[in-house]
Amino acid sequence: MLSRHERDRLAEIEAGLVGADPRLAEQFERFDPGPRWRGLRHALAGLALALLAVLAVMCLLSGLMVSAVVLAVATLLGGALCCAQARRNRRGSAPG
């Protein structure tokens, strides 16, 4: 997280860049994925985790214990990483 001084300085630099070359600044704004793509990325991650969990259960029911355990651990780690990333994103976007 940036300090207030760093955020103010970054805002000054951005304003200077926009004033110096508005077309260049407009090109960089196109790189921002926006909330729509972030939501899609979250949905795809959730779908992948659900599929891993289903596959782990299927392996467990089939008697493939090692595969079931590996897939279950991968599912749990993926879920933990998604939760940690979401928490970090929420903390970073909070007004400070």
Side-chain angles (χ1 to χ4, degrees):
M1 173 123 175
L2 297 175
S3 70
R4 181 173 176 88
H5 173 71
E6 291 169 329
R7 285 191 305 244
D8 292 343
R9 181 67 181 133
L10 184 60
E12 286 177 25
I13 292 170
E14 288 175 353
L17 289 174
V18 169
D21 194 353
R23 288 182 60 201
L24 179 65
E26 183 181 317
Q27 287 178 346
F28 279 107
E29 285 178 3
R30 285 190 238 146
F31 288 118
D32 183 24
R36 177 179 170 221
W37 293 109
R38 271 178 278 196
L40 179 62
R41 189 172 59 214
H42 293 169
L44 288 175
L47 179 64
L49 288 173
L51 289 174
L52 270 176
V54 168
L55 191 58
V57 170
M58 289 175 60
C59 286
L60 182 64
L61 294 175
S62 299
L64 302 170
M65 295 302 287
V66 174
S67 298
V69 169
V70 168
L71 290 170
V73 168
T75 303
L76 291 173
L77 286 175
L81 288 173
C82 286
C83 288
Q85 182 67 32
R87 185 174 294 134
R88 188 178 319 137
N89 287 344
R90 271 189 302 239
R91 206 177 301 146
S93 64

